[in-house]
Amino acid sequence: MRAPAESAALVLIVEDEFLIANDLGDILEAAGYQVLGLAESGAEARAIVAEARPSVVLLDIFLKGAETGIELAHWLNQQRIPFVFLSANLTDDVLAAAKVTEPYGFLNKPFRERDVLAALEIARYRHAHSQEAKLRQQQQTQMAVNEAIATLHDREQLCRAIATQVNQFVPINVLNLCLSQPEEQIFYWMLLRRTPQGTFERVRLPELLGPDTPAERLSMLAHPTAVELGERQGIFSGAAFETLSQEFSMARAIGETFGIQSMAFFPVVLQQRTFTSLQLGTTAAAGFTADDYAAISLIIPQIALALDNLLAYEELESRRQVKATELSVASAFRNGRDIAEIAPQVAAAISELLPLDLLSFYRVGRVLRHPSAMDATVGNLGGRFQLLPLEVIPQPESTEEAARLLDGLDSWLQRPLLNVGEAAAQARELNPVTRYYGNLLQLKSSMSVPIRLKDQPAIVLIVASKAAYAYTAKDLQLLQELAEQLAVALDNLLAYERIRLLSEQLEQEKTYLSEELKTSHNFEEIIGTSPALLAVLRGVGQVAPTDATVLLLGETGTGKELIARAVHNRSPRSARTMVKVNCAALPPQLMESELFGHEKGSYTGATERRIGKFELAHGSTLFLDEIGELPLELQAKLLRVLQEKEVERIGGKGPLRVNVRIIAATNRELAAEVAAGRFRADLYYRLNVFPLELPPLRTRPDDLLPLATYFLRKLSQKLGKPFTSIANASLQQIQHYAWPGNIRELENVLERAAILSAPPTLQLAAPLTPSAPARPEVKPMQDTMRDSILTALTQTNYRIRGPRGAAVLLGVKATTLEARMKKLGIPSRKETRTE
């Protein structure tokens, strides 16, 4: 037995008996192996491996020196080098210890040449295939992690998904994700711990440190120093973990609270300039191993991609919120009569963008000089923004003291200020006004920006929060941008026309932003960016390249045909036209001909041969709309076509092979139809390969404005009316209506309004009110009787007579049932088999 010459495998022999080692070397060289060397001890073997890596090692269990073969075997395992043990007489204890090292075989002395060569070949084969299996497992893990986290746009959900995926192949007790953007002075961390049920829940600072923790330590953990944010990496166990706990306050807190004994740090490199670290902890005394660290490192690129997607989504969402806030602020100034009425609305709008417990406008130079010196100050009281009183503020004892406070305050506030931490405490004690409101609402951080009118700082806008570190430099920049918008509004508070023009301009910007969002997220002809719709579109993207059957479920008017076209257009069959069949539009006697076709003369009225829809869709996609309306007798024939991939025309002489991809749609609950016996279970399972549930419009409030804008532009072109906007009152109705008819109802309502409205503003023709409940459908008696008989036959497997027959189930005589079946044209089981 000889190894292939081209393999040129390197073999290291570790044997302290020279004659045995020499004989083994002769056997191997004669068989075409290359002997890397002969080692008598573990130290010699390590030195040889350092020079060249062997393909396999022949290792004597008993060696000279302090190190045994079993100890060396553990080291070879760490190096991922396969080995075969050489032994003479083994005791049970030695054999048990040798098995723990997971050798690739045993050779007993004296050796036969064929046994040595066979053991080597088996060891090499097992090692190669184990490495291949590990590689496949790593690739599957990476794909699973990518599918689980790539599309999540919520920080906590993303961290939970990461923790769940990591815990599947490396058990962890805590996960901490730290992300810092130093240029924007933004830092946040997300700490999760594993519950006894195996899930992960978020841990917040008071829970981590206890309710009596000093505020200084809370702020230190919430905003660590640059030294603590250093890009650590590697495993920290034992003494290394003790050192880490002394340098990194978060690690110390995690260890003290949850009993963590080992942590692993993974730097995550993102496209933006950030300091991002994934930190894992375990309570196991052994801690993390090098293999654990290597396994987790494989999914770090997927985690980085998910974080990049999250930051990009948050940036886009932030821009959308800024635009929405600008529009709300502009609306407040447009509809309000004075600053006291406008300020609560402005505060409510800004609170959607920033944490807010107080908002104040005041004119520079008037603080403390007049009873109404604060133009307007509103506070968050019980979840509502209300004007706060000024009468109880303690006034300075003298005019000179008031002037001194005023001069210092005015000069201080005429530039952008960010007050968090110690700076916030100093600002709170600056004068009686800030001290009063700070104590009234327990404010701990604030920002202020001057609003410039005619290039002079005339009004100061202040926002404050109860949170200690509520604002960042990026928030201050955002507030400055809002201040620019407020400057225009305040300067034109009494000029209604200019305010109206500004509102229209902002409305156009909002529309433009909506169009941008639609352009960047649109999928075929589908409008919308809501999470429910995006989940459907992700499913379309996954299933479209395959030939899997797709079942579209959802209420009427949700756009099932558009989704079907999207699946087809993104499939390899898109070069051919998708064929559509409405199963509810034709009577049962014509549906079979519509689907499968017929030959000339096959029945009365068949004056020419007709090609069925299955043949027409050969090589393409067949869309079966309203599949739930298909009669039971046709369901059996459709099932046969799906199983056999062949059809037979009515009156035809033989089956025809077809290659058709099926997309079915229904607004019925097919599972309930199966339970009621109105739909075949086997057909349901055949269709339900890849179900997609289309969300109703009432669950997609974010998509109402883009859809209305799209239909408005479409109707303008269709009717020749230049509509540019929708009236605010009509828009409010559209956004608060439940839309039982979904997108179809929305389009019809807008078309009716467009016909009756005069450009450029569209107004609804009538108020949107819920329609009366639909009356139950009444079928002809023959159809009802036919459905009942078919249901009974399906449940009894077409058995008519006997205690378990359909006649007993229907409560009639067997002869009566057979007569009615013959009258209604329902075939018996025998006739069905003949057909």
Side-chain angles (χ1 to χ4, degrees):
M1 177 177 182
R2 296 178 60 87
E6 63 271 18
S7 64
L10 299 177
V11 182
L12 172 61
I13 302 174
V14 186
E15 168 63 60
D16 56 5
E17 295 187 30
F18 176 78
L19 292 178
I20 295 177
N22 193 54
D23 289 343
L24 284 172
D26 292 342
I27 292 173
L28 297 176
E29 289 179 350
Y33 287 94
Q34 181 178 349
V35 178
L36 188 61
L38 306 178
E40 295 184 357
S41 65
E44 290 184 22
R46 292 173 190 264
I48 294 174
V49 171
E51 295 293 331
R53 183 182 180 88
S55 303
V56 66
V57 176
L58 294 177
L59 175 60
D60 191 359
I61 292 181
F62 304 101
L63 294 175
K64 292 180 180 179
E67 187 176 28
T68 67
I70 292 177
E71 293 171 341
L72 181 60
H74 284 292
W75 181 79
L76 291 172
N77 255 334
Q78 294 177 358
Q79 308 302 314
R80 294 184 173 84
I81 299 175
F83 59 90
V84 176
F85 273 133
L86 307 176
S87 62
N89 298 317
L90 291 179
T91 65
D92 292 341
D93 292 342
V94 173
L95 182 60
K99 288 181 178 179
V100 172
T101 64
E102 299 180 358
Y104 285 79
F106 284 90
L107 281 172
N108 291 321
K109 302 175 184 179
F111 313 115
R112 293 187 302 176
E113 178 180 356
R114 62 184 301 175
D115 293 341
V116 171
L117 298 180
L120 284 177
E121 287 303 306
I122 292 173
R124 291 176 61 202
Y125 178 84
R126 285 182 56 200
H127 179 67
H129 283 264
S130 67
Q131 293 297 104
E132 181 181 345
K134 289 180 180 177
L135 180 60
R136 285 198 304 269
Q137 183 180 7
Q138 291 171 358
Q139 292 173 344
Q140 292 172 357
T141 300
Q142 289 174 307
M143 292 175 61
V145 171
N146 190 59
E147 292 177 0
I149 69 177
T151 57
L152 292 177
H153 292 152
D154 178 81
R155 295 179 183 180
E156 186 168 343
Q157 289 182 4
L158 175 61
C159 289
R160 287 177 188 269
I162 293 173
T164 301
Q165 293 298 323
V166 170
N167 190 62
Q168 289 182 358
F169 53 97
V170 176
I172 61 173
N173 294 96
V174 297
L175 177 145
N176 187 34
L177 178 67
C178 298
L179 192 152
S180 171
Q181 296 172 277
E183 293 179 356
E184 300 179 356
Q185 298 183 15
I186 294 177
F187 174 83
Y188 73 80
W189 58 270
M190 183 77 65
L191 177 63
L192 304 177
R193 73 177 182 91
R194 193 177 68 194
T195 65
Q197 293 75 29
T199 60
F200 285 86
E201 64 180 9
R202 185 174 182 180
V203 180
R204 303 185 185 272
L205 279 179
E207 182 182 356
L208 177 63
L209 302 178
D212 300 328
T213 304
E216 294 76 12
R217 191 173 184 198
L218 287 175
S219 62
M220 181 176 63
L221 281 179
H223 298 79
T225 63
V227 174
E228 290 189 321
L229 290 176
E231 295 182 351
R232 294 184 177 87
Q233 61 180 331
I235 300 172
F236 299 87
S237 302
F241 182 68
E242 294 296 331
T243 304
L244 175 69
S245 299
Q246 296 175 6
E247 298 175 354
F248 189 28
S249 53
M250 178 65 75
R252 180 169 66 255
I254 292 174
E256 293 173 352
T257 306
F258 302 118
I260 298 301
Q261 300 191 44
S262 176
M263 292 191 73
F265 281 60
F266 301 86
V268 183
V269 180
L270 304 184
Q271 294 179 359
Q272 301 185 28
R273 184 176 178 271
T274 65
F275 293 101
T276 305
S277 174
L278 179 67
Q279 303 158 12
L280 308 176
T282 179
T283 58
F288 294 108
T289 66
D291 288 342
D292 294 338
Y293 195 88
I296 299 172
S297 297
L298 293 172
I299 64 171
I300 293 300
Q302 277 72 29
I303 294 174
L305 177 61
L307 288 174
D308 278 324
N309 290 341
L310 172 65
L311 293 177
Y313 175 82
E314 289 180 343
E315 181 66 23
L316 183 64
E317 184 67 13
S318 174
R319 292 177 185 174
R320 186 195 66 78
Q321 290 179 350
V322 169
K323 286 296 181 184
T325 301
E326 290 176 356
L327 287 170
S328 298
V329 169
S331 177
F333 277 94
R334 183 179 63 224
N335 299 326
R337 293 171 295 179
D338 53 46
I339 194 67
E341 181 182 351
I342 291 171
Q345 301 178 47
V346 172
I350 295 179
S351 68
E352 297 292 330
L353 200 61
L354 298 170
L356 192 65
D357 292 295
L358 176 139
L359 180 140
S360 178
F361 290 102
Y362 77 91
R363 298 179 188 173
V364 174
R366 295 183 59 191
V367 178
L368 303 176
R369 284 185 176 170
H370 194 275
S372 60
M374 284 288 195
D375 285 329
T377 298
V378 295
N380 189 350
L381 302 177
R384 292 182 55 196
F385 287 97
Q386 304 176 27
L387 285 172
L388 297 179
L390 284 171
E391 293 79 4
V392 295
I393 298 178
Q395 298 294 316
E397 296 180 357
S398 64
T399 305
E400 293 77 10
E401 178 67 13
R404 186 183 65 80
L405 291 173
L406 171 63
D407 293 338
L409 184 63
D410 282 348
S411 61
W412 187 60
L413 291 177
Q414 288 181 30
R415 66 182 188 276
L417 291 175
L418 173 62
N419 300 316
V420 293
E422 185 63 28
Q426 295 174 1
R428 189 166 56 249
E429 299 300 322
L430 186 64
N431 64 67
V433 178
T434 56
R435 187 162 51 250
Y436 167 74
Y437 285 121
N439 294 333
L440 177 66
L441 298 177
Q442 299 179 345
L443 304 174
K444 295 181 180 179
S445 57
S446 64
M447 292 189 297
S448 65
V449 294
I451 300 176
R452 305 179 69 85
L453 302 179
K454 297 180 174 60
D455 296 328
Q456 295 296 325
I459 298 175
V460 177
L461 171 63
I462 299 176
V463 296
S465 171
K466 296 179 181 179
Y469 287 87
Y471 306 117
T472 66
K474 187 176 182 180
D475 296 329
L476 183 62
Q477 181 182 357
L478 177 60
L479 195 62
Q480 288 179 274
E481 295 175 3
L482 288 175
E484 295 177 3
Q485 300 290 337
L486 288 171
V488 178
L490 288 168
D491 191 30
N492 296 278
L493 186 58
L494 302 178
Y496 176 81
E497 183 62 20
R498 292 183 63 186
I499 290 293
R500 185 183 65 82
L501 294 175
L502 176 62
S503 177
E504 290 178 357
Q505 178 184 353
L506 292 175
E507 188 68 34
Q508 291 173 1
E509 290 178 3
K510 182 178 179 181
T511 302
Y512 175 73
L513 178 62
S514 300
E515 288 298 311
E516 280 191 329
L517 289 171
K518 184 191 74 174
T519 301
S520 60
H521 290 84
N522 195 21
F523 196 100
E524 305 296 334
E525 304 164 280
I526 302 160
I527 308 298
T529 60
S530 64
L533 180 63
L534 292 179
V536 173
L537 299 184
R538 285 194 297 272
V540 171
Q542 292 168 340
V543 75
T546 72
D547 271 344
T549 300
V550 179
L551 179 61
L552 303 179
L553 305 170
E555 299 177 7
T556 181
T558 51
K560 292 187 283 293
E561 184 172 350
L562 279 180
I563 295 296
R565 292 191 181 279
V567 173
H568 171 73
N569 292 339
R570 286 178 171 260
S571 72
R573 301 171 180 262
S574 59
R576 300 201 57 185
T577 303
M578 182 181 78
V579 179
K580 175 186 173 183
V581 176
N582 190 332
C583 299
L586 292 175
Q589 56 269 27
L590 296 181
M591 181 56 68
E592 183 176 0
S593 174
E594 183 74 11
L595 289 174
F596 311 124
H598 63 256
E599 295 291 347
K600 181 179 180 180
S602 58
Y603 59 86
T604 304
T607 57
E608 60 183 11
R609 189 176 74 172
R610 179 185 179 87
I611 300 297
K613 290 296 192 289
F614 269 95
E615 288 184 72
L616 193 62
H618 179 69
S620 184
T621 302
L622 180 61
F623 176 44
L624 298 175
D625 198 9
E626 304 294 348
I627 189 68
E629 308 295 334
L630 198 66
L632 274 169
E633 60 267 26
L634 281 181
Q635 292 178 22
K637 296 183 178 181
L638 176 60
L639 177 64
R640 180 181 178 278
V641 174
L642 297 181
Q643 290 175 336
E644 305 297 333
K645 304 295 184 183
E646 59 184 24
V647 298
E648 185 172 353
R649 300 190 192 120
I650 299 174
K653 298 181 180 179
L656 301 172
R657 299 290 297 178
V658 290
N659 175 18
V660 177
R661 194 240 182 102
I662 298 296
I663 301 176
T666 181
N667 57 10
R668 292 192 177 192
E669 289 286 346
L670 286 190
E673 296 292 305
V674 171
R678 292 188 292 269
F679 201 87
R680 292 181 64 101
D682 45 5
L683 178 58
Y684 170 65
Y685 296 130
R686 175 68 66 174
L687 294 174
N688 196 36
V689 176
F690 195 92
L692 285 174
E693 182 79 29
L694 273 64
L697 189 55
R698 60 180 171 274
T699 65
R700 300 166 49 192
D702 294 344
D703 294 340
L704 281 169
L705 179 58
L707 283 167
T709 304
Y710 170 76
F711 289 132
L712 185 67
R713 186 170 61 250
K714 181 179 176 181
L715 292 169
S716 296
Q717 296 175 354
K718 177 180 178 181
L719 302 177
K721 291 185 174 183
F723 289 108
T724 60
S725 63
I726 301 175
N728 286 336
S730 299
L731 194 58
Q732 289 292 325
Q733 291 189 59
I734 290 173
Q735 292 176 333
H736 292 92
Y737 184 55
W739 298 109
N742 295 298
I743 300 173
R744 184 181 295 116
E745 182 184 6
L746 173 62
E747 182 177 12
N748 293 340
V749 166
L750 291 176
E751 183 172 5
R752 181 166 64 253
I755 293 172
L756 298 176
S757 298
T761 303
L762 182 142
Q763 294 186 350
L764 294 182
L768 293 174
T769 56
S771 59
R775 296 182 179 179
E777 181 183 1
V778 178
K779 292 184 177 181
M781 185 174 295
Q782 284 192 343
D783 292 347
T784 304
M785 188 182 300
R786 179 186 185 88
D787 290 344
S788 299
I789 293 174
L790 286 171
T791 301
L793 290 172
T794 301
Q795 292 183 6
T796 59
N797 200 17
Y798 272 78
R799 176 181 293 176
I800 297 175
R801 301 175 181 272
R804 297 183 180 179
V808 173
L809 193 61
L810 292 170
V812 298
K813 293 182 179 180
T815 54
T816 302
L817 176 59
E818 288 173 341
R820 290 182 181 176
M821 288 173 58
K822 186 173 183 180
K823 182 177 181 180
L824 294 172
I826 300 175
S828 65
R829 186 168 185 173
K830 180 178 179 181
E831 292 170 346
T832 303
R833 287 178 175 174
T834 304
E835 182 183 351

